[in-house]
Amino acid sequence: MRKLQFLLILLLTAGTLLAGCSPNEEADADGEIGGEITVWAHPFTGNGDVEGQMWEEIISAFEEEYDVTVNFEQIPWSNRDQKILTALAANNGPDVFYAIPDQMPQYADAGMLLELDPYLEDYDLDDFVDTALFATQWDGKTYGLPILQEAYTFFYNTEIVEAIGEDPANLPTTWEEFADWAEKAKEKGYYALNYLGGGSMNGTLYPWIWQAGGDVITQDNEVLINSPESVEAFEFVNNMYQKGWIPEDSITAMEQDALWDGGQIMATLGSGITLSNLLSKDVIDFVIAPPLTNREQLTYGTTGMFVVPSNSDNKATAAEFVKFMTNTESQKKFNTLTQYIPTRESAKDIFGDQEFLNQLAGYTQYALPGVIHPIGRDIMLPIQAEVQAMMAGEKSPQEAADAAAEAIKAKLGQ
């Protein structure tokens, strides 16, 4: 992350992003669609040939409809930030590229992305899931259109559910109900839940904060991680650890697969990849529950989007490609192959005959994409450190939340 920060600062202070990145440049929304564009995306499956055929079908359809040329390049996930930033700085980057929610606000805030709102004035966005569109917006402006979503929720081991005397068809929906099940699981010698304290805040603290009605930081820089609602989430996480509902290594764990696979954990927080693993192993009988509710019913789920650099030489065509790539037909092709969840309601019928994926697709309406803020990545480690100190008994939940708030303010320069 420090390398990315340094590169961003270097590019901006050196003025190498050229006039195309000036926030004062007006979008040429009425520009003529034609010519040539370059599109960058990452590999989304392990089958390059089949994936290449999917891209060929979508791109050929766009080229035929608009009489343009699309040059497609697949770039690796590793070092993607450095590759994109360096290419844009040299003014030889793509006209369209794939981005995720913690990249978008950094790039947009630095003036590196084209605002798409002028190109969407007569474009119907109602079919998109609201939480997916939220992931594409920074400072009241839209900088991308979403192609895929995930929704994380609890997968329950039905054998353990039955062992604690509960019904797999009647799963917990609230914190209170989950706590009741967690106590029963502990009494029977099971852990209630996995908790990867060494991983991303998106999969640990943040969903509890959102469900409590709290927040981390708003887009107008209001720090809310130590609000009463957010502190309630700190308290719940701490309670889970102190009561033994989650494994002993949860403070720093990066994975607890052996415990789950071994039938020692009642529930695991997972998404589509969890489903794929469970179906391929075919060892654990499971059921999937809706995201929990305290004050709000919310969870985490990333959103993938396509964006246009502000120094693209063919903005109108690039913006049109983003719209085409995220239309219903293209989303069906893309997500049928990749097995991600479409961001358009009209494309979700691709999972009509797949019970579990269809169920997960219904939960994206509750899936927040993380902290949408330029410092969203930067604040994760300081927050993680405070949560770990709390779980280790070194700080109270309030003290940990207050210290996290101070760390966020320091990143903001407040």
Side-chain angles (χ1 to χ4, degrees), residues 299-322:
T299 186
Y300 167 71
T302 192
T303 298
M305 70 193 81
F306 286 100
V307 298
V308 178
S310 54
N311 62 358
S312 167
D313 291 330
N314 198 345
K315 296 179 178 64
T317 304
E320 197 64 33
F321 180 83
V322 170

